[in-house]
Amino acid sequence: MVILKEIVETLKPIEVIGNTDRNVINAIQLDEENQRDDVLMWVSAKFSDKLKNISKGIILCGSLPEIVNNDCTYLLFENPRLAFQKVLTEFFMPPKKIGISGTAVIGNNVKIGKDAYVGEYVVIEDNSVIGAYTTIDHHTTIKNDTIIGENVIIGANNTIGGVGFGYEKDETGEYVFIPHIGNVVIGNNVEIGNNTCIDRAVLGSTVLMDNVKVDNLVHIAHGVQVGRNSLVIANAMVAGSVQIGENTWVAPSSSIINQKKIGNNVTIGLSAVVVKDVEDGHTVIGSPAEEISVALKKKKLLTQKVYK
């Protein structure tokens, strides 16, 4: 439980309308039927019309309803969603776990930084480095020589630093495996979800730069470089030696074939299949992926032909 005044002092809203002496016991989804005055909600501009229907509670919003309800307290922000994120982080997050679980397996010459957490049945192989304040959740395996920065969050059931898929035919025509003798390097403040694989490089390093966010069920192959502050979302597949720039969004179920270069501030659309390089600032969609204006033009022409 927290007193609303503490939230106000921390977040410093543009304006406060209503009583700030009340207690806040929980944060909930926007609920037009809510009858409690001790819960906190947020509303985006898209759903601001729902404000008029809310009769109780504390609401983080970008604008006021036409009629202000006296049983509500309104906190106005330029970005209510970001304000809600800060409330959850500051006041409602469970205490951070620290320490090494009894079932964890730690290899030789492993370095684990201050106040890190290693969950149940985690395996950290030889010569790996885990930075301070980093969390590795249950059943995740960190393969040998992996380097992980500070304040990293890694979920459950991941494999970081396993070998990738690389084969060549020998003199008899049989496929033979190419050894992967590189490693994985993960920067600071990176977050990785659950059930994700990030492969070690054949030579050199697979690298995730600072503040990269990787969702559940993602495959990042050997030798990939992901630039600072980029996001790779659920079911995405990033093939070997791809280079992704900064502030780039790789959408769910998209695929990038090997050795392609993706620029800074790029958006790769839902289920796109990227088969060529993408320049800075572009948005690509479709299969094969094309710049959005080109793809939509082709779609329009195709529709016109079908209905002629």
Side-chain angles (χ1 to χ4, degrees), residues 128-129 142-148 159-162 182-187 192 198-201 204-208 220-223:
S128 293
V129 177
I142 308 297
K143 303 292 283 185
N144 59 283
D145 301 308
T146 298
I147 299 173
I148 299 173
T159 300
I160 311 295
N183 70 340
V184 172
V185 177
I186 295 174
I192 298 167
I198 300 174
D199 298 337
R200 68 175 50 244
S205 300
T206 300
V207 179
L208 275 61
I220 295 177
H222 50 232

Side-chain angles (χ1 to χ4, degrees), residues 212-228:
V212 165
K213 312 300 181 187
V214 180
D215 199 0
N216 303 328
L217 299 165
V218 168
H219 179 204
I220 295 177
H222 50 232
V224 168
Q225 312 281 312
V226 183
R228 186 184 181 281

Side-chain angles (χ1 to χ4, degrees), residues 4 8 13-20 73-76:
L4 182 54
V8 171
I14 297 170
E15 188 176 358
V16 179
I17 308 295
N19 177 19
T20 59
T73 297
Y74 304 90
L75 308 185
L76 271 67

